[in-house]
Amino acid sequence: QVQLVESGGGLVQAGGSLRLSCAASEQTFSTYIMAWWRQAPGKEREFVASITWSNGNTNYADSVKGRFTISTDNAKNTVILQMNSLKPEDTGVYYCAARATWTVTYAYWGQGTRVTVSS
């Protein structure tokens, strides 16, 4: 069973930065797409960013383009989300997720880490 463990959430003022990490339990993630999703209070979960482990291709939600960067640390089997210029609307629980490159459904999810951006 693949396990994903997020860390790095917290409270930050608007304009500040946070770095989220997602540690993956298996090294087979070379064939996976890793992603970050978030869920704000009272809203549905939404896509934030993704990265294809094998070639580094990235995708971002329009709301975070230019502010967030997703990357991988292969040596540590970790996916990182660097969040800069944070806004109050970035507040929510951030989840790490993974899916095989030949599927469309994210099959594996972490437990989430909370990010709160104060105005």
Side-chain angles (χ1 to χ4, degrees):
Q1 181 70 20
V2 174
Q3 293 185 338
L4 303 173
V5 179
E6 303 99 332
S7 61
L11 173 64
V12 65
Q13 288 188 333
S17 298
L18 279 176
R19 180 183 174 95
L20 305 184
S21 295
C22 170
S25 63
E26 296 189 5
Q27 294 183 344
T28 55
F29 279 93
S30 59
T31 57
Y32 278 69
I33 293 174
M34 307 298 294
W36 287 93
W37 292 67
R38 68 186 181 188
Q39 187 166 20
K43 295 187 177 181
E44 294 187 355
R45 192 173 298 187
E46 65 174 358
F47 171 81
V48 175
S50 67
I51 186 167
T52 302
W53 202 287
S54 59
N55 59 20
N57 284 345
T58 58
N59 283 293
Y60 295 92
D62 288 343
S63 59
V64 305
K65 281 181 181 177
R67 300 188 297 122
F68 291 11
T69 302
I70 188 171
S71 62
T72 59
D73 183 336
N74 293 347
K76 297 181 180 179
N77 225 33
T78 297
V79 179
I80 297 163
L81 185 68
Q82 179 65 44
M83 306 186 295
N84 298 327
S85 302
L86 283 162
K87 304 176 181 179
E89 51 263 44
D90 294 319
T91 293
V93 179
Y94 282 68
Y95 298 90
C96 179
R99 65 175 175 90
T101 55
W102 57 88
T103 67
V104 297
T105 301
Y106 284 90
Y108 305 103
W109 293 84
Q111 82 288 350
T113 185
R114 186 172 300 276
V115 172
T116 303
V117 184
S118 63
S119 57

